[in-house]
Amino acid sequence: MSDSESRYELVSRRAMLKGSLLFGTLALAPGLACSSSGNDVLATSSSTTTAAKANAPSTTTAATVTGPTLPTEGQLTVNFSFAPVAGGGRVNNPFVAVWIEDATGALLRTVSLWFKASESKYVNELRRWYSVDRARVAKGGADTMRTISGATRVAGTYSVTWDGKNNDGVLATQGNYFVCIEAAREHGPYELIRESITIGSTAFQKQLPPSGELTAASVAFVA
């Protein structure tokens, strides 16, 4: 064999060896062989990481509202007068609801609920109370409509008292609330008084604006 032939064989063997090593690298990393560039690999890795984060359980917890509670012996008395508008025919006793809402407008405690048991299907005429109470029940609260209700009353002046506790019997915190009085009468008008109040550790009194047949209303807090 000539020297030229030997050099040819040597170069050929080196070329074949280099090709084999390159093929082996591609076989071990098929993703690199299929990608048009290194950016494709990085993009795939980034997408996988994002998806994993999206599917991971959240570690965020709801904030707990804390603060000083209302005085243990504190009471809020709600006074109101009902007088039907003069007119002919029979005057039916109104359905009446008195309740407390928190600063967000959620029902905290129903203080009094008056309606005829035989006409309970019309209790939704107490539009706002019914709406906030059903929202409370939908979130897992107990349906207390039957246990807290009482008979309707004739025209007159009445007082009901809130003991400062929520529907679960826990003292509410000091802060801003809404006191609400609602009346609905069959074949008669609908009335709603909803007034903001701030309750702390000191006594206070406040007049509430009248509304139609709810001719007068006020609240008094005793610590």
Side-chain angles (χ1 to χ4, degrees), residues 171-205:
L171 273 175
T173 57
Q174 299 178 30
N176 300 320
Y177 296 93
F178 290 96
V179 58
C180 307
I181 309 169
E182 190 173 34
R185 183 162 61 85
E186 183 182 3
H187 305 305
Y190 163 86
E191 322 289 359
L192 173 64
I193 296 174
R194 183 174 182 266
E195 189 73 6
S196 63
I197 57 174
T198 300
I199 310 177
S201 58
T202 58
F204 71 88
Q205 295 182 357

Side-chain angles (χ1 to χ4, degrees), residues 82 92-97 113-126 152-153 182-186 191:
F82 167 75
N92 294 297
N93 295 340
F95 285 15
V96 174
L113 178 63
W114 303 343
F115 67 90
K116 291 181 180 179
S118 61
E119 298 179 357
S120 59
K121 63 181 179 180
Y122 299 118
V123 74
N124 59 0
E125 292 298 318
L126 295 169
T152 58
R153 312 288 201 277
E182 190 173 34
R185 183 162 61 85
E186 183 182 3
E191 322 289 359

